[in-house]
């Protein structure tokens, strides 16, 4: 049962504190994995704890602990205050209480199916999916996993914030590895852990998992005999499950305001975007419209307010190709004087919130998939991320995909393996020449976005239509 | 909980409780990771965020009737609450286990034995942290650089206990200043100052020692065209390759399931340089030798010798599934405490040995780009220099490389340095990490840059 948070906070407050807040996070997760037609792994995870935060002369201090014992919370609050007091003379910015708004809100992930599904049924599905992939001796690994996380967050503060959120995140992974001699190929359901969404068990589409698994195995085998992706500069068409990665690495991270302000330089890196670019920079072609959108119900990082209580609403970050707003929380907005979004998020109760992506999407355009292909004389259509790397200023990237088909004369052609491409972020996006209509739109997410010091990993959502890019350096594996 | 001692008490009480609750036919292994840490994040030589974190994460693996399930929960340090959480976890796994099919490769804890290694440190009081860390950093501002990074300190603990009688405890108190000094050009010198006994003078001296590097870095950056270059890779830069011995790496399971990029090495289709040796070496003292089943690994395990694969990492589960003898690897079959063998080159003469080429001090965001050929792509980062005839000419604009491990550690490897550096692991996903690696510098020919 949830404790009385306000009472806990009031009882813990050190004398003379200007402002204080208490955030409780409880994560209950369970997951199952099958391999090669057999059970492989089952886990449960329950993690609950508290972060108490105090403000002293514009400097926040925090202390995180699992105990809700009033004495322990009091000690924690004292330690947070000691740290804030020691740091205040050397603070990077003197924050006001405005960065912890008195928001009152409730949010719950929408679910069509409310009843829970037992471990027996989930494992049985996972085993069946791997059985469906065993269509050849050349399949050396058939793996399937299912995971669900229930994340409860409660926030109260001395300025009367009262927030309760309950997110249910469901994820699945299906993967086949095929091998023949020295050639090994992997094919998966939308890339590693690409299927992560909010909702109930309807997200998994349990009834159609076997068909999907068999197709994955067939494509893995198909890749074994496919030729290498040719090296050429040509047009590139990306499926939504690769657009997810393209948006994440070359739009999302560069637009994080804490990177622009230099906070991340020692670890995750900086960005080529400068404060003065906001409002003026042509980031991409006029077809490029990027939104921070916490309102798509099934997307992985939808929520009512971020972890400092800033209510989340949809905002355009890039409008008709022009950068209009960055991914900056209230703290970053106060430091920079620039507009932002509700994105100060933490991995859990044991980490302080920082600027993150949440749902970051490319808005649909007007073209059907066939129209996009028809506009390509010579190119490659790539699906499902396999490899990702980008420099610490988010310029020079190289990404690889699992599966690709040549495009010749406006039509899909032969399958090719080891497809890779490289480029420079802004140049790449300025060559965006086609954006698919809503029928090509896919909603994906990943639980693995890493950043911050101390390090934090967080779930983000990305949705995009199929897109086409001109003049991209494309290549295959080593001959 | 205020200390490593409190965490140990919490761990031991939980072990006693759970082991005492076991019924006939049940077995369990309890794995524990905890910390009591202070963190201060800084930018522009000023405090960005400051706080402290207590964690005591317990992971209970339960075995009964050929069923296996793991349940994790957080301990609080409040005895009554921890009894409730541990009992709830046991109840949960008993119920869930009854719903699961048989685990075909279940490996019960079978090893007894105990160990206790506790390393105390001398750390800062919370009130001292901002001044002690940022005060000496002002010298960098005077040199025209921004001081950016993370200070962390405190106790880090690991423990394992099993129903077979194993009980192990490892605790260390340490500090890490993971920092960089950024010039207005965006170029930076990156370093880590870590230890167990805080010494203000040694720290200030360490910061002062990077100023000459900033002077070299202040020159206009040179843009090099893509192509193949002779390079010297420092131990810090080489450390970025260390995760690739584990990820799609040298685990037996990874090999069997087709995920490893070292299959060609295993099959003898490819080899590395006779000068390349890789060993798992716990004598470095960076992390404990026990795994989650209470098994204790040998102090040293040679993995690659003279460019040939001689051992993979084999867990008890892989032993059962594939019939290969276990070497007490954790279930992940990750390489722990890797050490790359020393060579004959003198690190003091690295620039002279390089002659004309690129001095690589750091790398960034590496990833496999082609598993079959063992190709890895990544970026240069921080202070990398163009060198001519043994003299630094200019920093370089960052470049992307894409190269196979069979070339990097194989036919293009010109030599390794006699001196090796202990590079500490500074990661803190979830909890502060233990570990690190002992690494030489590498001189490499025709290293390909693509962008």
């Amino acid at each position: 049962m949830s404790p009385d948070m306000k009472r806990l906070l009031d009882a813990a407050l050190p004398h003379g504190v200007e402002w204080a807040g208490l955030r409780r996070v409880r994560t209950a997760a369970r997951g199952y994995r099958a391999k090669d037609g057999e059970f492989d792994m089952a886990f449960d995870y329950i993690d609950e704890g508290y972060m108490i935060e105090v403000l002293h002369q514009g400097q926040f201090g925090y202390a995180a602990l699992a105990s809700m014992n009033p004495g322990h919370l009091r000690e924690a609050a004292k330690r947070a205050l000691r740290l804030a007091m020691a740091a205040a003379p050397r603070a990077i910015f003197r924050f006001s209480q405005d960065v912890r708004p008195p928001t009152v809100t409730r949010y719950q992930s929408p679910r069509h199916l409310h009843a829970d599904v037992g471990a027996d049924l989930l494992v049985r599905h996972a085993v069946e999916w791997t059985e469906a992939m065993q269509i050849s001796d050349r399949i050396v690994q058939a793996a399937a996993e299912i995971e669900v996380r229930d994340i409860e967050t409660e926030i109260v503060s001395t300025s009367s914030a009262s927030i309760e959120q309950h997110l249910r995140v469901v994820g699945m992974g299906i993967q086949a590895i095929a091998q023949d001699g020295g050639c090994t190929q992997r094919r998966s359901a939308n890339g590693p852990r690409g299927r992560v969404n909010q909702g109930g068990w309807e997200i998994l589409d349990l009834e159609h998992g076997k068909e999907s698994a068999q197709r994955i195995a067939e494509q893995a085998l198909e890749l074994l005999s496919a030729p290498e992706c040719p090296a050429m500069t040509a047009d590139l068409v990306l499926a939504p499950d690769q657009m997810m990665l393209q948006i994440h690495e070359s739009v999302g991270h560069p637009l994080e305001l804490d990177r622009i302000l230099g906070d991340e330089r020692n670890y995750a890196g900086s960005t080529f975007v400068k404060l003065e670019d906001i409002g003026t920079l042509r980031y991409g072609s006029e077809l490029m419209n990027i939104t921070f959108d916490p309102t798509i119900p099934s997307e992985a990082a939808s929520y009512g307010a971020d972890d400092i209580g800033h209510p989340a609403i949809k905002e355009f970050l890039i409008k008709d190709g022009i950068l209009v707003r960055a991914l900056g929380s209230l703290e970053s907005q106060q430091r920079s004087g620039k507009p932002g979004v509700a994105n100060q998020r933490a991995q859990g109760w044991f980490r302080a919130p920082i600027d993150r992506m949440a749902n970051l999407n490319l808005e649909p355009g007007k073209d059907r998939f066939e129209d996009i292909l028809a506009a390509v004389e010579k190119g490659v259509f790539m699906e499902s991320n396999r490899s990702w790397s980008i420099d610490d200023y988010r310029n020079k990237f190289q990404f690889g995909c699992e599966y690709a088909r040549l495009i010749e004369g406006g039509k899909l052609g032969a399958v090719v393996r080891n497809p890779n491409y490289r480029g420079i972020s802004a140049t790449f996006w300025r060559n965006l020449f086609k954006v698919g209509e809503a029928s090509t739109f896919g909603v994906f997410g990943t639980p693995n976005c890493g950043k911050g010091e101390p390090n934090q990993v967080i779930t983000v959502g990305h949705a995009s239509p199929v897109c086409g890019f001109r003049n991209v350096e494309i290549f295959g594996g080593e001959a | 909980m205020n200390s490593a001692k409190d965490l140990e008490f919490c761990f031991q009480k939980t072990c006693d409780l759970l082991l005492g609750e076991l019924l006939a036919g049940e077995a369990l292994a309890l794995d524990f990771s905890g910390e009591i840490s202070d963190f201060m994040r800084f930018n522009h030589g000023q405090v960005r965020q400051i706080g402290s974190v207590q964690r005591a994460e317990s992971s209970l693996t339960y075995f009964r009737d050929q069923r296996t399930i793991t349940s994790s929960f957080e301990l609080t340090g409040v005895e009554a609450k921890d009894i409730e959480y541990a009992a709830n976890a046991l109840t949960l796994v008993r119920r869930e286990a009854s719903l699961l099919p048989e685990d075909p490769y279940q490996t019960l804890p079978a090893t007894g034995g105990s160990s206790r290694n506790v390393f105390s440190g001398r750390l800062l009081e919370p009130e001292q942290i901002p001044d002690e860390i940022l005060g000496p950093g002002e010298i960098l501002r005077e040199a025209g650089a921004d001081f950016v990074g993370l200070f962390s300190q405190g106790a880090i603990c690991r423990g394992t206990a099993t129903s077979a009688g194993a009980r192990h405890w490892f605790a260390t108190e340490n500090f890490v200043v993971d920092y960089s000094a950024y010039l207005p050009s965006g170029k930076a010198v990156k370093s880590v100052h870590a230890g167990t006994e805080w010494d203000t003078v040694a720290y200030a001296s360490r910061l002062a020692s990077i100023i000459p590097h900033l002077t070299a870095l202040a020159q206009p950056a040179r843009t090099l065209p893509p192509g193949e270059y002779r390079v010297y890779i420092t131990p810090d830069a080489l450390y970025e390759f260390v995760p690739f011995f584990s990820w799609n790496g040298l685990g037996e399971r990874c090999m069997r399931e087709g995920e490893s990029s070292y299959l060609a090495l295993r099959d003898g289709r490819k080899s590395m340089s006779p000068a390349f040796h890789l060993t798992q070496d716990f004598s470095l003292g960076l992390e404990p030798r026990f795994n989650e089943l209470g098994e204790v690994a040998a102090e040293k395990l040679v993995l690659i010798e003279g460019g040939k694969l001689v051992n993979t990492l084999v867990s008890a589960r892989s032993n059962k599934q594939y019939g290969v003898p276990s070497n007490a690897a954790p279930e992940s079959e990750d390489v722990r405490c890797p050490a790359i063998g020393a060579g004959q080159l003198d690190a003091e003469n690295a620039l002279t040995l390089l002659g004309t080429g690129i001095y690589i001090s750091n790398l960034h965001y590496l990833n496999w780009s082609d598993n079959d050929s063992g190709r890895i792509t990544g970026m240069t980062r921080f202070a990398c220099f163009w060198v001519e005839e043994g003299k630094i000419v200019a920093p370089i604009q960052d470049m992307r490389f894409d190269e196979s491990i069979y070339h990097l550690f194989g036919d293009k490897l010109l030599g390794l340095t006699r001196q090796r550096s202990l590079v500490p692991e500074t990661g803190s996903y979830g909890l502060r990490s233990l570990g690190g690696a002992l690494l030489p510098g590498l001189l490499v020919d025709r290293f390909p840059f693509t962008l």
Side-chain angles (χ1 to χ4, degrees), chain A residues 331-441:
Chain A
E331 287 185 16
S332 293
Q333 290 170 45
Q334 208 169 76
R335 287 167 70 192
S336 66
K338 297 291 182 181
V341 294
N343 70 327
Q344 198 159 338
R345 307 172 63 205
Q347 178 180 350
W349 56 270
F350 47 85
R351 290 286 180 262
I354 56 175
D355 287 0
R356 302 304 304 238
M357 282 174 250
N359 293 337
L360 191 69
N361 305 336
L362 181 65
E363 295 293 307
K366 294 177 180 169
D367 291 302
R368 296 175 307 150
F369 183 50
E370 301 77 44
D371 300 332
I372 297 172
L373 295 178
V376 176
E377 186 54 37
K378 185 179 181 188
V380 181
F381 173 56
M382 296 190 192
E383 295 178 61
S384 307
N385 182 256
R386 186 176 86 165
S387 175
W388 60 100
S389 174
I390 190 166
D391 73 58
D392 62 324
Y393 282 82
R394 297 280 149 178
N395 274 316
K396 295 179 177 180
F397 65 78
Q398 178 174 319
F399 301 143
C401 291
E402 292 178 354
Y403 189 84
R405 291 180 71 177
L406 298 176
I407 307 170
E408 288 163 328
K411 304 279 185 201
L412 284 176
V415 172
V416 290
R417 73 181 184 219
N418 300 325
N420 292 279
Y421 62 100
R422 59 172 79 101
I424 294 173
S425 294
T427 310
F428 183 82
W429 282 102
R430 287 171 199 153
N431 286 340
L432 173 69
F433 77 98
K434 285 286 181 188
V435 176
E437 62 174 13
S439 67
T440 72
F441 198 66

